[in-house]
Amino acid sequence: MTLFYNPDEPGFTSKFRSLTPTSGFCIFADISGSTEMKSQGLGRWAPAIYNTLSNVRSSLPRGPLKIVGDEIMYYLSDASLLGHGTALTVFAALASAAHEDEPYYRELRIGVAYCTDAYELSFVPNVDDVYGKDIDLTSRLVSVAGAREIVMNEGFVTRVRADYALASNKELFPEVPRIWGPWPQVLKGIAGYTTLYKLAAP
C-alpha cells in the first residue's frame, strides 16, 4: 500500500518510520522524437502515441504506474511479479517493444533498473507512487539511451543473466547475449560512476 505523506494524520510518524524499501523493477519508456512529431498535426501524432504506449502496456504483466507526457513509468515489485514473470521475461518484453518495426508505432528509448532504494510513498492523496534514489537513477538511464535502445543498471542485468543461465529455452531470448557492457557512466545527481549496460538498436 502506498503511504500518503500527511504529517497531520494521527499515527503518521509511526507509519512513516516503519516504511521500508520495496524492491523491484523500475521502467521508463520514452517516445523518441515525440516533440518533433507533434508538428505533423493531432490526427497523426495522437494515434501514434496511443499505439506505442498500448504496445508497451500489453507487453508487461502489470499496468503502468503513471504516464507523464510521452513517457510511461512502471514499477514491478518483486512481490507483484511472483508467478507472473521474471527479470528475463521483463527484459524480453522490453526488447520486443524497443525493437518493434511496425510503422504505426513510434520509436522508444527505455531505461530499466532493479531497485533496492524505492519507497511506496505519495505526496498526493489516493494516488499510488514510488520515490527513491533508484527511481531517479532509472530516469537518468533514459537520458543516455538512443532510439530503440534499452539502458540498464547492473542489478537488473545480473538478474536477467541468472535467469537466462537457468533457462532451457535460450533460443527464445536471443537478445540476452547481445547485452553490451559494463559501461561506466557519470549520471547527473549521482555520485561517482554508475555501471550501466545496453541493448543496442537492431
Side-chain angles (χ1 to χ4, degrees), residues 187-198:
L187 301 175
K188 180 181 176 182
I190 299 175
Y193 283 88
T194 302
T195 302
L196 305 183
Y197 294 79
K198 179 190 286 190

Side-chain angles (χ1 to χ4, degrees), residues 48-100:
I49 290 176
Y50 172 80
N51 291 338
T52 305
L53 298 184
S54 294
N55 186 40
V56 178
R57 291 199 305 267
S58 67
S59 301
L60 294 170
R62 289 174 61 89
L65 182 62
K66 57 187 173 185
I67 297 176
V68 181
D70 304 324
E71 185 171 70
I72 188 168
M73 175 186 171
Y74 285 81
Y75 197 79
L76 308 175
S77 68
D78 287 337
S80 72
L81 270 183
L82 284 175
H84 300 284
T86 64
L88 180 60
T89 58
V90 168
F91 171 74
L94 294 175
S96 176
H99 294 170
E100 180 63 66

Side-chain angles (χ1 to χ4, degrees), residues 19-26 73 75 77 113-121 129-136 138:
L19 191 63
T20 57
T22 299
S23 58
F25 305 102
C26 184
M73 175 186 171
Y75 197 79
S77 68
Y114 182 74
C115 303
T116 57
D117 189 285
Y119 297 84
E120 293 180 283
L121 182 66
D129 213 336
V130 182
Y131 280 84
K133 182 177 64 178
D134 289 341
I135 306 301
D136 294 349
T138 313

